[in-house]
Amino acid sequence: MSASPPSSSWAATTTSSASLIIILTIMGLSMSPPLLMVNAAAGELSFNGTTFARRLGEVLSFNAPLYNSFFQNTFNPSFVSGLHTDGSPFNCLVVRVTYATDPVSRLALSCASDNDNATSLAFSPITKSSVIFWPSTPQEVMGTEDPRIVQLQDGTYLLFYTAVAPNPTGGAIARLSLATSQHPTVASSWSRVGALFPDVNGFQFTKSGALLINERGLPSYLIFGDCSLYNGLQVALASPTFLNYTIVNNFLLFERRQGMFDGELVESGPPPVQLSDGNWLFLYNAAQKLDGSSNGLFYAPGYVILNGSNVLQVLRRSDKPLLMPEASWETIGQTTYVVFASGLRRVPNTGDDTFVVYYGAADTNVGAMLVRYVPFEGSSAAAGGKDGPRPPAGRVFARRL
């Protein structure tokens, strides 16, 4: 199934004052404060009167109607592209997978069937032999989770993942870790670098690393975290080799906001991508309370625009989520009510900044949406700098594929 690049359908539409606030009482759920609004006539998702998303389909699932994954839980994909060893192109998802009776996470490969159509939802089935990365060290015995993959200018691929191990005092230790490869679709090609940060008193909880590679001679940074230990997202300065990272102390890129869709959690999404105006689009995952859901939370992604001249400066932040879990495959599963963005692919030849964003749905399936960035008139990273005025940042629109 495929969708055409967006055109006039991206235009914002307003809803009437008769829009209904959904408190999800139909399922015995309550959200406080209620953020999701639905137009009673059109049945479209809308946020404070502006339509941002509509449903078109899903990508990978163990369940009906797709039946294209061997694993009962197939979620949180990263996107990777390049050339196979034979020179043929690939556009693939590296997906976190688990069995229903075994919570240990592995990473499996699923590749696009049509390399020329970025919006196609046709990907190769995930089988048992699709696994390309799995726990193999004592620090990973409880799983290798949440992949984020980037490619350096020299062709090297970096896989940031969470290595999970038991904590002797109870619970788990999560270590943001790194592996490298020249051929990411080949399981034997991956070489582990290990945990990026040292334990403190035998413990750490770091995860979800999204690397911003700045190729303009400016610093590159790893954005990571999920509010387990801090109130927002941490940042680490990358070394020239991209193998070592130094945490920027006493600094959070941004924090969660009480009373909003990201009031309980913010967590890194896919690696930031540079836009045509020189700024950066960074998607992040977020959660708010939802009584009655499987873990008391409701997950929906947001975004920030980072200054192209100083990437630690947030120019714009969404006050509404890009996409809310509404389809059954987003609301029913291992963790109910989850849209978790983790992979991003640029759509070529659209004349603007349009991307396919792949996301985990209910920690069970994989979905996709289109995201389009529309810069404000005159927006340019050159208009600002570290100490100068901020350049204007545009708006982001999204829809499901």
Side-chain angles (χ1 to χ4, degrees):
M1 179 176 179
S2 63
S4 300
S7 56
S8 59
S9 62
W10 293 98
T13 59
T14 58
T15 62
S16 71
S17 59
S19 295
L20 303 176
I21 296 177
I22 299 226
I23 312 186
L24 301 172
T25 53
I26 192 171
M27 306 238 356
L29 305 173
S30 64
M31 181 187 300
S32 179
L35 297 180
L36 175 60
M37 301 179 69
V38 172
N39 181 291
E44 294 180 331
L45 284 175
S46 66
F47 309 107
N48 296 346
T50 303
T51 300
F52 279 82
R54 63 185 176 89
R55 176 176 300 103
L56 292 173
E58 64 179 319
V59 180
L60 293 167
S61 179
F62 173 83
N63 303 304
L66 297 183
Y67 297 118
N68 58 358
S69 178
F70 174 80
F71 297 89
Q72 286 86 349
N73 302 310
T74 303
F75 57 113
N76 295 6
S78 182
F79 177 75
V80 60
S81 64
L83 298 177
H84 288 295
T85 54
D86 63 3
S88 60
F90 64 82
N91 293 280
C92 302
L93 299 178
V94 175
V95 188
R96 179 180 172 185
V97 296
T98 65
Y99 296 103
T101 56
D102 179 3
V104 175
S105 293
R106 302 158 177 85
L107 304 182
L109 187 74
S110 175
C111 294
S113 302
D114 184 352
N115 285 306
D116 296 323
N117 184 358
T119 60
S120 172
L121 300 185
F123 280 77
S124 60
I126 292 179
T127 67
K128 191 173 183 179
S129 62
S130 299
V131 174
I132 61 168
F133 199 86
W134 55 87
S136 64
T137 74
Q139 291 187 337
E140 302 170 352
V141 293
M142 292 178 65
T144 51
E145 303 177 356
D146 301 331
R148 310 285 195 279
I149 300 177
V150 295
Q151 186 179 21
L152 301 178
Q153 281 188 314
D154 68 3
T156 301
Y157 291 86
L158 305 180
L159 165 63
F160 296 92
Y161 67 99
T162 305
V164 186
N167 187 344
T169 62
I173 296 174
R175 298 178 176 94
L176 182 55
S177 301
L178 175 64
T180 67
S181 173
Q182 297 296 320
H183 303 288
T185 62
V186 179
S188 60
S189 72
W190 287 104
S191 176
R192 283 168 168 77
V193 175
L196 296 181
F197 309 114
D199 290 354
V200 177
N201 297 322
F203 178 79
Q204 68 169 290
F205 207 93
T206 55
K207 61 181 302 186
S208 298
L211 181 62
L212 186 155
I213 301 176
N214 208 327
E215 298 177 350
R216 299 167 52 194
L218 299 173
S220 297
Y221 293 98
L222 183 67
I223 307 168
F224 66 98
D226 71 343
C227 290
S228 293
L229 301 179
Y230 296 91
N231 198 45
L233 296 185
Q234 292 180 269
V235 172
L237 177 66
S239 70
T241 64
F242 291 96
L243 299 180
N244 300 286
Y245 296 84
T246 303
I247 294 176
V248 179
N249 292 321
N250 303 313
F251 178 81
L252 297 175
L253 185 63
F254 55 87
E255 300 182 3
R256 54 189 170 185
R257 299 173 292 186
Q258 294 302 313
M260 298 189 68
F261 76 96
D262 49 11
E264 293 299 314
L265 173 146
V266 291
E267 182 172 350
S268 289
V273 59
Q274 193 158 31
L275 301 163
S276 57
D277 65 5
N279 295 316
W280 293 80
L281 172 66
F282 177 49
L283 306 184
Y284 68 94
N285 294 293
Q288 62 176 310
K289 288 183 179 179
L290 179 61
D291 296 337
S293 67
S294 60
N295 67 350
L297 296 174
F298 181 96
Y299 291 79
Y303 73 90
V304 295
I305 303 298
L306 303 176
N307 190 338
S309 299
N310 174 16
V311 296
L312 299 186
Q313 182 185 54
V314 175
L315 300 180
R316 181 180 178 90
R317 183 175 179 182
S318 56
D319 56 6
K320 314 166 190 69
L322 283 173
L323 200 68
M324 305 280 268
E326 185 194 45
S328 60
W329 46 274
E330 299 165 341
T331 61
I332 301 171
Q334 184 177 204
T335 306
T336 58
Y337 294 94
V338 175
V339 169
F340 190 92
S342 50
L344 183 148
R345 177 185 185 182
R346 185 182 291 273
V347 180
N349 306 318
T350 61
D352 58 16
D353 294 308
T354 301
F355 309 93
V356 177
V357 176
Y358 301 98
Y359 60 90
D363 283 353
T364 304
N365 312 299
V366 171
M369 60 176 164
L370 277 179
V371 169
R372 182 186 179 198
Y373 172 77
V374 180
F376 292 142
E377 186 176 356
S379 176
S380 171
K386 186 174 182 180
D387 300 311
R390 295 183 179 184
R395 302 181 69 188
V396 174
F397 299 89
R399 68 177 181 179
R400 286 181 178 86
L401 284 175

